[in-house]
Amino acid sequence: MRTLLIAGNWKMNLLRSGAVALAEALAARYPQTPAGTELLVCPPFPYLIPVGEALRNSAVQLGAQTSYFEPPGAFTGEVANEMLVDVGCRYVIQGHSERRHVLGESDAVVNRKVRASLERGLKVILCVGELLEERQAGQTERVLDTQLETGLKDIEARAAAGVVIAYEPVWAIGTGVVATEQQAQSAHAHIRNWLAGRYNSEFAAAARILYGGSVKPENAAGLLSQPDVDGALVGGASLKADSFSGIIEAANRVLEDNS
Ligand code: PGA
């Protein structure tokens, strides 16, 4: 059965009261979700615990936005996967474009992080995506291949089953410029094809590939209707209960139409 994952990436937004209020609003709306939709929010580290408490008894799962690849130890300022598991996280995002391009994370670091998170039992949302100049130069697929190749290096199929890929064209993140449905579908199909080559066709068919970059209630249904789009990673529109819910409702409608 087709399923869709709708994930909110709150980035470095909200303070405690706003984070808890948003989580409470989502928990009230989604004590459970229709079969096929999976919900996730990824708040900033300091609010994982209160947000997790607000989400208890709801269908909304808790995730984090990154983590370090070492086990707990002398790594000032970092957060270990063990700690994320301990506070109830099921998922962690790795390789987000802001980590790559603002914080300087290399493909090799992203790979170490993905491996460490999987080893600690977290599911990983591995983000990939091209810059505007790379797209304009016709390099989108080459960039995706490199990020997939290095991001999933030394990760065999059984472990890789815990990885969700998020295709996030960098030019669409936080810009209001969303990829067209055709651009998203074509990149997603390319990624699925790459996964079939790297692993096998059953693996690729079961893999989840999310689209991220200016997803809003108004454009969600069109994107989620694409055959290779298995959900959305939502930044700005995940910061308000109404807009995040609008995207969730769009996902539910797409699944109903498909059934
Ligand atoms: P956006 O962010 O929805 O605000 O474009 C998406 C993301 O960075 O995951």
Side-chain angles (χ1 to χ4, degrees), residues 32-93:
Q32 56 198 32
T33 50
T37 318
E38 196 185 333
L39 305 181
L40 172 71
V41 294
C42 302
F45 288 136
Y47 308 132
L48 284 171
I49 292 173
V51 165
E53 278 162 9
L55 296 177
R56 194 172 294 155
N57 303 323
S58 84
V60 187
Q61 302 173 88
L62 187 68
Q65 300 171 17
T66 188
S67 61
Y68 198 49
F69 48 73
E70 293 287 355
F75 301 100
T76 301
E78 296 295 336
V79 173
N81 292 296
E82 286 80 350
M83 297 168 183
L84 300 184
V85 172
D86 189 38
V87 299
C89 289
R90 305 284 304 279
Y91 281 87
V92 60
I93 300 170

Side-chain angles (χ1 to χ4, degrees), residues 146-157:
T146 303
Q147 290 176 342
L148 291 166
E149 191 81 53
T150 50
L152 294 171
K153 187 163 170 286
D154 297 330
I155 302 175
E156 292 318 313

Side-chain angles (χ1 to χ4, degrees), residues 109-130:
V109 165
V110 172
N111 174 248
R112 289 187 74 178
K113 289 185 164 203
V114 172
R115 279 189 286 149
S117 297
L118 291 171
E119 278 163 20
R120 301 302 178 286
L122 287 160
K123 292 188 196 168
V124 173
I125 299 179
L126 169 61
C127 301
V128 297
E130 80 288 359

Side-chain angles (χ1 to χ4, degrees), residues 9 11 96-98 168 172-176 212-216 233-237:
N9 172 12
K11 308 192 180 185
H96 188 277
S97 77
E98 286 144 21
E168 299 207 307
I173 297 177
T175 58
S214 297
V215 177
K216 304 274 179 284
L233 182 55
V234 185

